[in-house]
C-alpha cells in the first residue's frame, strides 16, 4: 500500500470515475492509474469500484467505507507535513484563500496587507469563484481557507465561522427617479424598474429573491453578474437599478452613481470563513483568520476543527 494508490482511489471518486481526468490531476498515465487501483484492491482483497467492462461506474458498498478511510489517511499525511514545518520553525509557505470577488475586492485588501506585514515570507494565493466551488476547493485541500456568504455552513466536511454581517444597497445614476422619493425605498418601488444584481448563489442573492417572493411582488432582473463592479458599470449606463453588497458602494462614486439605503428591504447577510474539518492549520493561518474575524478565538477554532460529526 502506498500514497499513490490512495490518491488514485480518492481522485477517481472526485473525478466522477473518469480515469483520464484522474491521470491529469495526478500527472501520470491512465494505465498507471488503473494499475494503482487494481493493485490496492488486490492487496485488500476487496473490490472498491463497480465496473462495466474496464470502465469504473461507481463505488461498491465496501468501497464507500474504504474511501472515507483513505480520505482521512491522506488528510493526516498532509497534517503531518504541515506540523513538521511548524515544529521546524518555518515561517514561509503559501496560504491559499478561496473567496468571492466581492470579498477579494472590498474586504480582504486591508487584512492581506496586515498579514503580509506579520508574515512577509508567506505567499498568498487568492482564488475567486462561486460559493459551491469555494467549498469544494477547501474540502479537497486546494485552498486552506474559504470565505463566502452563502452555503459554506451546509458542508459536513467543513467547519465554518460567522465573521461579520452586511446588507445590500441600491445604486442608481444621478438624477434617477428613485432619488426623489420623500420616504424609504420599498420593494414596489424597485419592481417598477429593471434590476441588475448578482448571479444566483452569489453575494446574498438568495435574500434578494426571498424578499420579493415573500412579498408576492414580481421583479424584472435583466442582467446578472458575479462582480459588483460589473453591476455598477451597467447600472451607470442606465440599463437598470443595481442591487449590490453594501461594502461595494464606495466604488460607485467612480461611476457617477448614488446609493440608496436598502438594508430594511432584504435580510442581513453573514460572511462566513470555512476550513476543512480535521485539518492541521499552520500558525500563520490562525493569524490570518483572527485578523479577518477578530471576534473568533484560536481555542474555539481548534475545538471545532477536532469535533467529530
Amino acid at each position: 500500500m502506498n500514497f499513490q494508490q490512495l490518491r488514485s482511489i480518492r481522485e477517481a471518486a472526485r473525478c466522477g470515475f473518469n480515469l483520464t481526468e484522474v491521470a491529469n490531476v495526478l500527472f501520470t498515465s491512465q494505465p498507471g492509474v488503473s494499475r494503482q487501483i487494481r493493485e490496492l484492491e488486490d492487496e485488500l482483497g476487496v473490490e472498491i469500484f463497480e465496473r462495466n467492462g474496464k470502465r469504473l461506474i461507481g463505488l461498491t458498498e465496501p468501497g464507500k467505507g474504504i474511501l472515507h478511510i483513505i480520505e482521512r489517511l491522506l488528510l493526516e499525511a498532509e497534517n503531518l507535513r504541515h506540523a513538521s514545518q511548524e515544529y521546524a520553525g518555518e515561517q514561509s509557505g503559501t496560504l491559499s484563500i478561496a473567496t468571492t470577488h466581492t470579498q477579494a475586492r472590498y474586504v480582504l485588501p486591508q487584512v492581506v496587507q496586515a498579514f503580509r506585514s506579520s508574515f512577509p515570507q508567506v505567499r498568498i494565493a487568492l482564488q475567486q469563484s462561486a460559493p459551491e466551488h469555494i467549498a469544494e476547493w477547501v474540502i479537497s485541500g486546494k485552498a486552506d481557507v474559504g470565505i463566502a456568504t452563502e452555503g459554506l455552513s451546509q458542508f459536513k466536511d467543513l467547519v465554518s465561522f460567522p465573521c461579520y454581517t452586511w446588507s445590500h444597497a441600491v445604486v442608481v445614476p444621478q438624477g434617477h427617479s428613485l432619488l426623489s422619493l420623500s420616504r424609504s425605498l420599498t420593494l414596489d418601488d424597485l419592481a417598477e424598474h429593471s434590476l441588475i444584481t448578482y448571479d444566483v448563489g452569489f453575494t446574498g442573492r438568495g435574500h434578494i429573491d426571498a424578499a420579493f417572493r415573500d412579498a408576492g411582488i414580481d421583479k424584472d432582473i435583466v442582467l446578472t453578474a458575479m462582480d459588483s463592479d460589473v453591476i455598477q458599470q451597467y447600472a451607470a449606463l442606465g440599463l437598470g437599478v443595481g442591487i449590490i453588497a453594501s461594502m461595494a458602494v464606495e466604488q460607485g462614486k467612480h461611476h457617477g452613481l448614488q446609493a440608496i439605503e436598502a438594508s430594511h428591504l432584504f435580510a442581513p447577510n453573514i460572511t462566513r470563513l470555512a476550513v476543512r474539518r480535521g485539518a492541521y492549520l499552520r500558525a500563520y493561518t490562525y493569524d490570518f483568520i483572527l485578523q479577518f474575524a477578530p471576534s473568533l478565538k484560536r481555542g474555539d477554532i481548534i475545538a471545532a476543527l477536532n469535533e467529530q460529526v
Side-chain angles (χ1 to χ4, degrees):
M1 184 183 304
N2 58 58
F3 282 113
Q4 190 66 8
Q5 293 171 342
L6 301 181
R7 293 188 187 97
S8 295
I9 300 292
R10 181 184 67 182
E11 294 306 326
R14 287 181 176 177
C15 295
F17 313 107
N18 185 323
L19 296 189
T20 300
E21 289 188 25
V22 176
N24 291 334
V25 170
L26 297 179
F27 302 102
T28 186
S29 65
Q30 182 176 334
V33 171
S34 297
R35 185 178 66 256
Q36 296 286 353
I37 291 173
R38 180 55 74 185
E39 287 177 353
L40 183 58
E41 287 181 321
D42 290 344
E43 180 178 347
L44 296 177
V46 173
E47 292 283 341
I48 297 174
F49 294 102
E50 295 179 347
R51 290 173 169 82
N52 183 359
K54 293 184 178 180
R55 187 165 60 90
L56 304 186
I57 59 173
L59 287 163
T60 64
E61 282 304 313
K64 293 175 184 177
I66 289 171
L67 176 62
H68 183 65
I69 295 171
I70 287 173
E71 289 175 336
R72 285 211 319 267
L73 287 171
L74 291 174
L75 174 59
E76 291 300 341
E78 185 177 335
N79 287 344
L80 180 61
R81 178 171 59 83
H82 288 164
S84 64
Q85 293 169 339
E86 195 76 34
Y87 295 140
E90 292 185 17
Q91 292 297 308
S92 61
T94 298
L95 177 62
S96 180
I97 304 166
T99 188
T100 61
H101 169 84
T102 300
Q103 299 293 332
R105 170 68 177 83
Y106 298 104
V107 182
L108 282 174
Q110 289 185 332
V111 178
V112 169
Q113 185 179 38
F115 175 83
R116 286 282 299 155
S117 296
S118 301
F119 297 92
Q121 295 183 346
V122 176
R123 191 171 68 88
I124 294 177
L126 282 179
Q127 307 173 58
Q128 298 174 51
S129 190
E132 61 268 24
H133 294 149
I134 292 169
E136 291 171 4
W137 288 341
V138 177
I139 292 170
S140 68
K142 294 179 181 177
D144 302 303
V145 172
I147 300 172
T149 300
E150 299 177 355
L152 292 183
S153 61
Q154 300 173 6
F155 294 84
K156 66 180 180 60
D157 293 325
L158 295 179
V159 179
S160 71
F161 307 93
C163 299
Y164 67 93
T165 302
W166 56 272
S167 60
H168 285 103
V170 167
V171 289
V172 294
Q174 294 179 6
H176 194 279
S177 61
L178 289 179
L179 295 171
S180 62
L181 294 175
S182 57
R183 52 173 171 74
S184 297
L185 184 70
T186 67
L187 292 176
D188 284 315
D189 295 328
L190 289 177
E192 293 177 0
H193 301 271
S194 298
L195 303 178
I196 305 172
T197 192
Y198 300 102
D199 288 340
V200 173
F202 279 81
T203 320
R205 168 64 188 273
H207 288 166
I208 295 172
D209 292 341
F212 283 100
R213 182 179 63 249
D214 293 346
I217 300 173
D218 293 330
K219 62 185 184 303
D220 181 21
I221 297 179
V222 297
L223 189 150
T224 63
M226 298 182 294
D227 186 328
S228 301
D229 294 344
V230 171
I231 294 170
Q232 291 178 95
Q233 186 66 54
Y234 284 97
L237 292 174
L239 295 182
V241 171
I243 304 176
I244 62 173
S246 53
M247 72 278 282
V249 166
E250 185 69 20
Q251 181 70 13
K253 296 180 179 178
H254 302 295
H255 296 299
L257 296 174
Q258 288 187 252
I260 303 174
E261 170 65 31
S263 61
H264 59 292
L265 298 180
F266 310 110
N269 303 276
I270 300 174
T271 288
R272 303 185 74 89
L273 181 147
V275 291
R276 184 168 41 164
R277 188 178 299 278
Y280 181 93
L281 303 183
R282 298 284 302 274
Y284 58 69
T285 305
Y286 284 108
D287 189 89
F288 171 83
I289 293 172
L290 296 178
Q291 287 193 46
F292 183 79
S295 61
L296 299 178
K297 294 180 172 57
R298 178 167 176 160
D300 293 338
I301 298 171
I302 294 173
L305 281 172
N306 296 321
E307 183 178 337
Q308 297 295 319
V309 178

